[in-house]
Amino acid sequence: MMVFKKFLDFYINSSLHVALSAFALVSMTQYFFGVERDFSVAFFAFFGTVVGYNFVKYDAIARLNKTELKKELKGIVFLSFISLLACFYFFLQLSWMTKISAFAFFGLTLLYTLPFFPNKQNARNWKGVKIYIVAITWVGVTVLLPLQEAQISFSFDVLLMAIQRFLLVFSLVLVFEIVDVKLDDPHLQTVPQKIGVELTKKLSYVLLFLLLLLEFFYTNNNHFLPFFFKLLVCGTIAIFLFFANENRSRYYASFWLESVPILWWLVLVVLN
């Protein structure tokens, strides 16, 4: 059991789980737009997420050298280096326009992590900004990049998908913020810190309802399957929201909640 727990902790702490969620969301975007599977974008998103998230989480430790690297952290550093090489390899497979867009979202990650101006905090510590940067970055990586690589021009349907993905990620992050409401620095001014846990839950329910409502506005919405799966994922997130509180274990959001997009994708894989 201890071996399994250590493996699970490493799997979560090394950002492999959240990276698999990114892979799943890219694959779902390609499916719903009828894009022939392009694994270069999906694997770029996977390895890029490992690198980006680990950079955000462990950059301060590495730069300030506050503590001696423990065995697990050394493993994460090694995995991040391998992922960086893999990310660069798949980056080279992308078109030039997709590469330019990828650089833009990489810049958002840097803005989120590094202070660009003397004596200024990074964007991660700007009041109320964190959740928007995270959601926009995920929209870019899991919606815009795969569609741009497939040479699908911007349309009303693409806009709807981008808005839906923003609402989805925003709602997921709200669950994280509820669970971490007592741990987050009060200066961050997260949504639950500003309006309370109960109002945050109600807000997220509204966002999930809007996500489903937008499904009826697609110009070629002539199939039931996309709505069914979005109903499935929104219903699952709503259940997580209902039971979310500051006393939940770290696995509640970091593993089980982040498994929702993966489950959504796996069901489609089995059905197809």
Side-chain angles (χ1 to χ4, degrees):
M1 184 62 70
M2 285 299 296
V3 173
F4 175 77
K5 185 179 183 301
K6 287 183 178 180
F7 174 81
L8 181 61
D9 287 342
F10 180 81
Y11 173 68
I12 295 173
N13 294 337
S14 63
S15 304
L16 287 173
H17 193 55
V18 68
L20 191 56
S21 294
F23 184 96
L25 288 175
V26 170
S27 299
M28 295 304 302
T29 298
Q30 293 172 329
Y31 173 83
F32 288 129
F33 276 88
V35 176
E36 186 176 343
R37 291 299 300 275
D38 183 354
F39 287 103
S40 60
V41 181
F43 280 118
F44 171 76
F46 176 86
F47 290 111
T49 300
V50 172
V51 175
Y53 267 69
N54 287 345
F55 181 67
V56 167
K57 289 191 290 186
Y58 305 113
D59 167 68
I61 295 177
R63 282 192 297 120
L64 300 179
N65 197 24
K66 286 183 177 179
T67 181
E68 184 178 347
L69 295 181
K70 295 182 180 179
K71 187 175 180 179
E72 183 189 60
L73 193 53
K74 288 181 180 179
I76 292 174
V77 170
F78 177 74
L79 176 66
S80 300
F81 177 72
I82 298 300
S83 297
L84 179 62
L85 296 179
C87 180
F88 181 69
Y89 170 78
F90 287 107
F91 174 79
L92 295 178
Q93 314 303 314
L94 305 178
S95 67
W96 278 106
M97 290 303 298
T98 308
K99 288 176 182 175
I100 293 173
S101 298
F103 265 118
F105 294 115
F106 175 69
L108 267 180
T109 303
L110 289 180
L111 179 65
Y112 183 72
T113 309
L114 302 176
F116 278 85
F117 304 100
N119 302 318
K120 298 293 182 179
Q121 294 176 317
N122 55 35
R124 191 182 190 185
N125 294 312
W126 294 351
K127 291 183 179 180
V129 171
K130 167 188 170 182
I131 191 170
Y132 297 100
I133 294 180
V134 171
I136 291 171
T137 303
W138 275 77
V139 169
V141 172
T142 67
V143 176
L144 301 183
L145 290 188
L147 296 183
Q148 186 176 48
E149 183 65 14
Q151 297 184 347
I152 293 179
S153 57
F154 190 81
S155 65
F156 184 69
D157 284 356
V158 173
L159 177 62
L160 284 179
M161 175 66 77
I163 295 174
Q164 285 183 313
R165 189 61 51 80
F166 181 90
L167 295 175
L168 174 68
V169 176
F170 202 95
S171 298
L172 288 170
V173 176
L174 285 180
V175 180
F176 275 89
E177 292 190 346
I178 290 172
V179 173
D180 293 338
V181 66
K182 288 184 176 180
L183 301 176
D184 284 333
D185 187 337
H187 176 81
L188 289 177
Q189 289 291 286
T190 63
V191 176
Q193 288 174 339
K194 289 193 291 187
I195 68 175
V197 170
E198 291 306 315
L199 278 179
T200 300
K201 290 185 177 184
K202 292 177 181 178
L203 170 64
S204 193
Y205 292 140
V206 171
L207 296 180
L208 293 173
F209 175 76
L210 289 176
L211 190 159
L212 289 174
L213 186 64
L214 289 175
E215 191 66 24
F216 296 99
F217 291 90
Y218 279 90
T219 58
N220 66 350
N221 190 9
N222 56 2
H223 44 285
F224 175 74
L225 198 57
F227 177 79
F228 172 77
F229 279 100
K230 288 172 186 176
L231 178 62
L232 173 67
V233 74
C234 288
T236 308
I237 294 172
I239 293 173
F240 274 99
L241 265 170
F242 182 81
F243 291 102
N245 60 64
E246 60 271 21
N247 297 317
R248 290 294 176 187
S249 74
R250 61 186 294 266
Y251 300 108
Y252 185 81
S254 297
F255 180 75
W256 294 112
L257 178 65
E258 285 188 349
S259 297
V260 174
I262 302 171
L263 174 65
W264 184 26
W265 168 60
L266 287 178
V267 172
L268 261 189
V269 170
V270 171
L271 291 180
N272 289 274

